[in-house]
């Protein structure tokens, strides 16, 4: 009986190892990636996706998208810390878009810029969308105006507006 129990144990360990390998291989092919090309006033930046902080949630018909980018080079990072673009996706139409931009001033302080459809007229247009298994591939454009906010976007001061436009092309995994 001991030999039979040992054989069953080895068989169970072998099955576990094979299953773990297959799971790891499927997870390795599911990769978040992408970029946002951003134009602020007269400056254009290409910002890579921050995959650990970008995701989606929902179902085939309704998806909530959250895209966060951070500069990969030190020179850009010293001026722009992060950009977040979020919106609801109802079928193929973006709704309720919002954007936040954290940027440094010359005296090393931070400026917080925000825009929404109701404050700054932010518009997101989806040009391509594909949801297969857990991967959401989505691309599109955005345009609007950002204003500063001292309360994280609750109120947005548009007295000194900053025009914003750009494109995005990302592949996202669901919230984890």
């Amino acid at each position: 009986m001991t030999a039979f129990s040992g054989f069953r144990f080895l068989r169970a360990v072998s099955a576990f190892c094979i299953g773990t390998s297959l799971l790891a291989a499927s997870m390795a092919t599911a990769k978040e990636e992408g970029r946002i090309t951003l134009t602020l006033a007269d400056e254009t930046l290409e910002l890579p996706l921050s995959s650990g902080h970008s995701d989606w949630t929902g179902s085939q018909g309704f998806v909530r998208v959250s895209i966060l980018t951070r500069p990969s080079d030190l020179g850009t990072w010293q001026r722009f810390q992060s950009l977040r673009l979020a919106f609801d996706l109802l079928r193929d139409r973006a709704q309720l878009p919002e954007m936040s931009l954290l940027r440094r001033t010359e005296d090393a302080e931070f400026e917080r810029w925000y825009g929404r459809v109701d404050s700054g007229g932010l518009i997101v247009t989806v040009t391509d969308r594909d949801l297969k298994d857990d991967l959401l591939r989505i691309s599109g454009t955005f345009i609007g105006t950002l204003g500063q906010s001292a309360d994280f976007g609750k109120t947005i001061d548009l007295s000194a507006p900053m025009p914003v436009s750009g494109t995005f092309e990302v592949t996202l995994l669901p919230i984890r």
Side-chain angles (χ1 to χ4, degrees), residues 66-86:
S66 180
I67 303 167
L68 182 79
T69 64
R70 291 197 171 121
S72 56
D73 66 283
L74 184 60
T76 305
W77 185 82
Q78 289 173 336
R79 295 177 300 131
F80 298 94
Q81 301 295 298
S82 65
L83 171 76
R84 181 179 166 272
L85 175 64

Side-chain angles (χ1 to χ4, degrees), residues 78-79 103-111 113 148:
Q78 289 173 336
R79 295 177 300 131
R103 160 174 137 162
R104 281 191 192 258
T105 62
E106 290 185 20
D107 60 356
E109 294 294 317
F110 287 107
E111 293 177 338
W113 294 81
Q148 289 191 344

